[in-house]
Amino acid sequence: MEEIKITPVIDGLQLPGILVMPEHPVASILLIPGSLNSDVDGNFAPMFPGQPSAAPHAYKDLALQLASHGIAVLRYAKSGP
């Protein structure tokens, strides 16, 4: 399985992204980030001073699990609500 760094341009903004490509892909999906700012792995920066960050890396974990079943996954960071 290979992780390829890309920078898609969405509405004029360059966002960091990663394409997880299994050796023999059978399908592909676009993993769209949910609410809040998140990096490409699904980690969240503090929203208010003094608030801790959250690093569940949920999008990376999901992408790797899907890729282990032959599904190519494109995921990207999200800036803004």
Side-chain angles (χ1 to χ4, degrees):
M1 157 178 4
E2 182 179 8
E3 287 190 326
I4 304 164
K5 291 184 180 184
I6 63 168
T7 307
V9 178
I10 300 171
D11 288 337
L13 297 173
Q14 292 184 348
L15 299 174
I18 295 181
L19 174 63
V20 179
M21 184 65 72
E23 280 192 42
H24 304 288
V26 296
S28 62
I29 66 164
L30 171 62
L31 185 57
I32 300 174
S35 182
L36 305 174
N37 299 326
S38 69
D39 68 12
V40 72
D41 291 334
N43 300 320
F44 304 98
M47 293 186 62
F48 305 103
Q51 182 182 33
S53 61
H57 46 78
Y59 301 148
K60 180 176 183 175
D61 289 348
L62 178 58
L64 293 176
Q65 289 176 18
L66 290 168
S68 73
H69 293 285
I71 300 171
V73 180
L74 174 60
R75 66 185 196 274
Y76 60 93
K78 180 176 179 249
S79 59

